[in-house]
């Protein structure tokens, strides 16, 4: 075991060393080229291959027993869902009714999600809603009115993904022996069959492209407008869940249009005001995320907020960014959290792009023709590995 990632990246023999991460519990880093896909631990779901940055949303959400059920709104392929399950199981909160709802509108991707849930051995606390569009859920109806926390990791441009052409494709094990400790009432171990028709990358993520290298500036801006509008709609819908107290929002994008712009638009929305949502400040974040050095882009925030307002510094410091190619070994990533409480909500003066009802040029750029069903083209990337990192299933 080594005390720094630098030793991992220095090219020491694969499989000979490991580093225990200092930011995310139960996360280890192995040398590039280490292949765990054929190991018993991987095939039995004891470890999940995942980029470090993509572990941040579930960790930042910081689900607690008293929060009620958790809803993963765009759950496929399931890495973040299984990470939440691991966190809950580490708190011994795996008994009783399912504590996690995993929604996936696309039925093919829902099959991959189900396979990942089975692989990780957490089907006892996760219920998959195959074919369920998050935007069509009625927050006032059961069981959704019992949701206390939501994880939103929607389709995005994938601009933070690095080394995509160098990723080795693997398949999920076709037969997985569920290795979590069985209940005493069970007479034998269960064998779970999973669908292996879809090729996934080393982190279990489907390889899909949204923003193509050959896209012109006009096409790029058109796609970013559509994506940011959709991302904002998901976030505002999450604000409407009556018993929700915490929301994490993340993308594997480096583009401000999908990150700080969406966050600021959500903060200034009528939904945020009506339901009392504000950002989880850096000083309120769980320790590993509070200590993370890379924060939001303050210049981007200043460009969206009137000069002289303290809001830009507070918003950017509450946002978390991961930069590809740094000593931390992550892909490009963005995550922010929202909380709902009786605490005073900071008011932010807005620039010319906003009015009292929210952003003028995000959802309105799409108009009435944009709806949930129009999103078929945006079943995009959520994360991809740039270094071999794993979280363990408890």
């Amino acid at each position: 075991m080594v005390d720094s990632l630098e030793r991992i990246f220095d090219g020491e023999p694969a499989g000979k060393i490991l580093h225990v991460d200092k930011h995310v519990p139960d996360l280890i880093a192995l040398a590039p080229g280490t292949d765990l896909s054929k190991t018993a631990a991987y095939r039995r779901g004891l470890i999940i291959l995942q980029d470090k940055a993509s572990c941040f949303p579930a960790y930042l959400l910081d689900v607690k027993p008293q929060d009620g059920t958790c809803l993963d709104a765009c759950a496929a392929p399931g890495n973040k869902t299984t990470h939440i399950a691991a966190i809950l199981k580490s708190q011994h909160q795996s008994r009783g009714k399912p504590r996690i709802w995993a929604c996936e509108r696309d039925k093919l991707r829902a099959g991959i999600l189900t396979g990942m849930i089975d692989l990780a051995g957490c089907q006892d606390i996760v219920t998959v809603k195959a074919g369920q569009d998050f935007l069509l859920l009625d927050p006032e109806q059961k069981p959704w009115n019992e949701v206390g926390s939501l994880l939103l990791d929607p389709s995005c441009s994938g601009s933070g993904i690095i080394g995509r052409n160098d990723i080795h494709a693997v398949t999920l094990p076709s037969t997985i022996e569920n290795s979590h400790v069985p209940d005493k009432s069970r007479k034998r171990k269960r064998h779970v069959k999973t669908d292996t028709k879809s090729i996934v990358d080393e982190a279990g993520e489907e390889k899909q492209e949204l923003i193509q290298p050959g896209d012109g500036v006009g096409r790029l801006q058109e796609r970013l407008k559509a994506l940011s509008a959709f991302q904002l709609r998901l976030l505002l819908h999450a604000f409407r869940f009556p018993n929700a107290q915490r929301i994490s929002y993340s993308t594997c994008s480096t583009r401000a249009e999908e990150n700080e712009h969406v966050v600021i638009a959500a903060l200034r929305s009528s939904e945020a005001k009506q339901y009392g949502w504000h950002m989880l400040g850096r000083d309120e974040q769980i320790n590993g995320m509070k200590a993370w050095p890379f924060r939001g882009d303050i210049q981007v925030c200043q460009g969206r907020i009137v000069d002289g307002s303290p809001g830009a510094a507070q918003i950017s410091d509450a946002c978390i960014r991961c930069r590809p190619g740094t000593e931390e070994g992550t892909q490009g990533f963005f995550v922010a959290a929202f909380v709902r409480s009786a605490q005073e909500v900071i008011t932010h003066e807005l620039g010319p792009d906003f009015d009292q009802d929210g952003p003028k040029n995000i959802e309105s750029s799409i108009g009435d023709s944009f709806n949930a069903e129009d999103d078929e083209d945006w079943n995009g990337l959520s994360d991809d590995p740039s270094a071999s990192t794993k979280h363990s299933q408890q």
Side-chain angles (χ1 to χ4, degrees), residues 236-262:
L236 297 186
H237 189 58
F239 282 175
R240 300 184 181 106
F241 282 69
N243 284 309
Q245 297 296 318
R246 304 174 73 88
I247 298 169
S248 69
Y249 169 79
S250 59
T251 74
C252 57
S253 171
T254 59
R255 299 184 180 277
E257 293 93 332
E258 302 176 87
N259 299 328
E260 288 89 351
H261 289 192
V262 171

Side-chain angles (χ1 to χ4, degrees), residues 26 41-42 44-50 78-90 116-123 125-126 179-180 390-394:
D26 302 321
Y42 172 74
R44 294 165 62 193
L46 296 178
I47 56 175
I48 302 293
L49 308 184
Q50 188 164 347
N79 284 359
K80 296 174 183 64
T81 311
T82 57
H83 192 185
I84 296 172
I87 291 171
L88 285 174
K89 288 198 173 190
S90 72
M116 181 65 76
I117 299 301
D118 292 344
L119 171 65
C122 54
Q123 61 271 58
I125 62 169
V126 178
S179 62
H180 64 289
K390 298 94 192 155
H391 68 260
S392 63
Q393 303 301 307
Q394 301 298 317

Side-chain angles (χ1 to χ4, degrees), residues 7-25:
R7 292 275 305 279
I8 296 291
F9 298 137
D10 278 347
E12 295 200 21
K16 300 297 184 181
I17 59 174
L18 64 84
H19 170 70
V20 177
D21 191 74
K22 63 183 178 181
H23 296 105
V24 181

Side-chain angles (χ1 to χ4, degrees), residues 192-256:
V192 182
K193 297 289 185 178
T194 58
D195 182 3
T196 60
K197 293 180 180 179
S198 295
I199 299 298
V200 296
D201 65 32
E202 289 177 350
E205 303 293 349
E206 289 184 276
K207 298 163 76 75
Q208 297 187 30
E209 300 281 348
L210 291 178
I211 302 300
Q212 303 291 344
D215 284 344
V217 174
R219 178 59 174 159
L220 173 62
Q221 290 305 313
E222 177 185 344
R223 290 190 177 201
L224 287 174
K225 278 186 177 182
L227 282 167
S228 61
F230 177 65
Q231 292 154 353
L232 179 59
R233 289 187 66 201
L234 288 174
L235 189 49
L236 297 186
H237 189 58
F239 282 175
R240 300 184 181 106
F241 282 69
N243 284 309
Q245 297 296 318
R246 304 174 73 88
I247 298 169
S248 69
Y249 169 79
S250 59
T251 74
C252 57
S253 171
T254 59
R255 299 184 180 277

Side-chain angles (χ1 to χ4, degrees), residues 354-374:
F354 297 85
D355 58 27
Q356 62 181 358
D357 294 322
K360 292 180 179 179
N361 64 347
I362 295 186
E363 282 203 74
S364 59
S365 68
I366 303 301
D368 294 336
S369 63
F370 186 86
N371 55 52
E373 286 71 24
D374 292 333

